[in-house]
Amino acid sequence: MRSSTTAKTSLRVNYFQRRPRKGFNFSLEFIYDDLRRRLQKSIEPTVFISSCYNNGYLSKIFNILEAGLKQGNDINHITGELHFLNILMNRKKVVLTILDCGMIKRKKGLEKIIVNWFYLSLPISRARIITAISEETKKEILHYSKCDSDKIKVIPVPVSSIFQPFAKDFNQIKPVILQVGTTPNKNLLRLIQALEGLECHLSIVGKLSVEQLEALDTYKIEFSNEFNITDERLLEKYQECDLLSFISTFEGFGMPIVEAQMVERPVITANTSSMPEVAGRGAYLVDPFNVMEIRSGIREIIQNKELRSDLIELGKVNRKRFDGDLIAKMYLEVYKECMGKNL
């Protein structure tokens, strides 16, 4: 039986999460495990993992039915990706987190209309509060739906506490350039072109496609490659590198930028999507579609010691925005608002 003290000070929050797939470095699981740990004195959490992967409409229907049966009487937090899990829930008790709208951007024609309705418009109508992980994501939500702007709260992603400053002398002779991610939006092919003829080593995290391997061979890029790695090994990759290249064409957030800032490495990133917002002043911004601009930016960082120092110092300032305790407080305020309580 719950004590009267606990009943007055704790909120019951049910977290609905995807069934995780092996090998994804960006982990929704970490974000909400960390959140629950930081809020352990303020909430009583229960975690529900969908039984099926997000494959096909039958698995989606099963997950929706399952979530509807498991919804609680206090707060039901849909933690991203499976937005539609709230379709059968009491909308007054739902907090819906949206990471990005990439699922809509990739579609065309009738399929785009259906995906928009199923993944965005309908789930938004079935939630009391929406949280977006960046202002860029909020803009996308407003662009693709009729959601009221005031219904959306921007709460960034916290950086894992394992990422800490790690001193390393910059290797100006042959710097190690870290690239995290190999999906099309990560823009690896243009980075490869930009590095042609530059004395460097490209360290790539993520499974390489045949096209990417062919490009590495064609442009004679010295590289190493690992994928399906642990968080601890990812940390080592940041520690081993001299700079991070994260010139994606699109991101809902861009966690590698903050991770590199935590480890105190200079960052080059794209001047589009969420990346300028996430990087603050602590990164060198380039047009991700302009190979020569990418090349020029990387050369400038390699050759200019003062620029590298400035980027690192500005990154130290920027990373404070992604402190886990600060972000946990933001979520707690959302939960209080959802329940209409002033605890």
Side-chain angles (χ1 to χ4, degrees), residues 57-317:
Y57 284 100
L58 286 179
S59 65
K60 290 177 174 61
I61 291 170
F62 184 89
N63 287 336
I64 290 168
L65 292 171
E66 180 182 52
L69 291 171
K70 291 181 177 179
Q71 67 176 303
N73 292 321
D74 279 12
I75 299 164
N76 298 295
H77 186 170
I78 314 299
T79 60
E81 188 174 312
L82 306 184
H83 306 159
F84 47 79
L85 290 185
N86 68 343
I87 290 175
L88 299 181
M89 292 183 179
N90 181 343
R91 71 180 72 191
K92 295 180 180 179
K93 300 178 183 296
V94 172
V95 174
L96 171 63
T97 292
I98 298 177
L99 307 178
D100 60 56
C101 297
M103 80 295 280
I104 300 170
K105 290 188 175 200
R106 293 188 291 266
K107 306 300 181 182
K108 294 181 180 180
L110 180 60
E111 187 178 15
K112 185 169 187 173
I113 294 171
I114 294 171
V115 169
N116 188 330
W117 174 79
F118 187 69
Y119 271 88
L120 200 63
S121 297
L122 182 58
I124 283 174
S125 72
R126 301 294 307 168
R128 179 168 179 181
I129 298 174
I130 310 295
T131 71
I133 62 173
S134 66
E135 289 289 346
E136 181 66 22
T137 296
K138 180 176 179 177
K139 289 178 186 176
E140 291 179 351
I141 295 169
L142 295 173
H143 174 73
Y144 287 114
S145 74
K146 296 179 180 179
C147 184
D148 182 349
S149 178
D150 292 338
K151 188 176 179 177
I152 306 172
K153 315 291 183 182
V154 176
I155 303 180
V157 176
V159 65
S160 171
S161 59
I162 72 168
F163 294 97
Q164 296 293 328
F166 187 88
K168 180 185 184 298
D169 291 333
F170 190 88
N171 185 347
Q172 197 165 352
I173 305 302
K174 183 186 279 190
V176 175
I177 300 174
L178 178 61
Q179 164 73 28
V180 179
T182 57
T183 52
N185 67 301
K186 302 301 180 184
N187 209 21
L188 178 56
L189 291 175
R190 288 191 182 90
L191 175 62
I192 291 169
Q193 294 175 53
L195 295 179
E196 183 182 18
L198 292 183
E199 192 67 26
C200 65
H201 178 90
L202 182 57
S203 174
I204 305 168
V205 176
K207 193 168 185 178
L208 292 165
S209 68
V210 172
E211 183 182 16
Q212 290 165 341
L213 286 167
E214 289 176 348
L216 288 162
D217 182 60
T218 297
Y219 291 97
K220 296 180 172 53
I221 307 299
E222 179 184 309
F223 76 98
S224 55
N225 177 228
E226 296 180 42
F227 56 94
N228 290 352
I229 63 176
T230 64
D231 289 342
E232 289 71 26
R233 179 55 185 149
L234 180 62
L235 171 61
E236 290 175 356
K237 301 296 284 185
Y238 282 104
Q239 293 171 341
E240 294 165 0
C241 81
D242 292 289
L243 68 96
L244 172 76
S245 175
F246 197 72
I247 51 166
S248 300
T249 56
F250 162 77
E251 291 288 340
F253 190 75
M255 180 53 75
I257 296 169
V258 187
E259 291 170 345
Q261 290 175 340
M262 289 298 301
V263 182
E264 298 183 0
R265 296 295 181 268
V267 177
I268 183 170
T269 191
N271 63 4
T272 188
S273 190
S274 64
M275 287 160 282
E277 173 191 343
V278 172
R281 297 175 61 202
Y284 192 108
L285 302 181
V286 295
D287 179 354
F289 300 98
N290 188 322
V291 172
M292 292 310 297
E293 190 170 321
I294 297 166
R295 179 183 180 86
S296 176
I298 291 173
R299 290 183 67 177
E300 181 69 15
I301 293 173
I302 292 172
Q303 295 172 0
N304 191 330
K305 181 179 179 180
E306 184 177 352
L307 172 62
R308 295 197 301 270
S309 297
D310 287 345
L311 291 176
I312 290 170
E313 289 303 313
L314 291 168
K316 291 179 184 179
V317 175

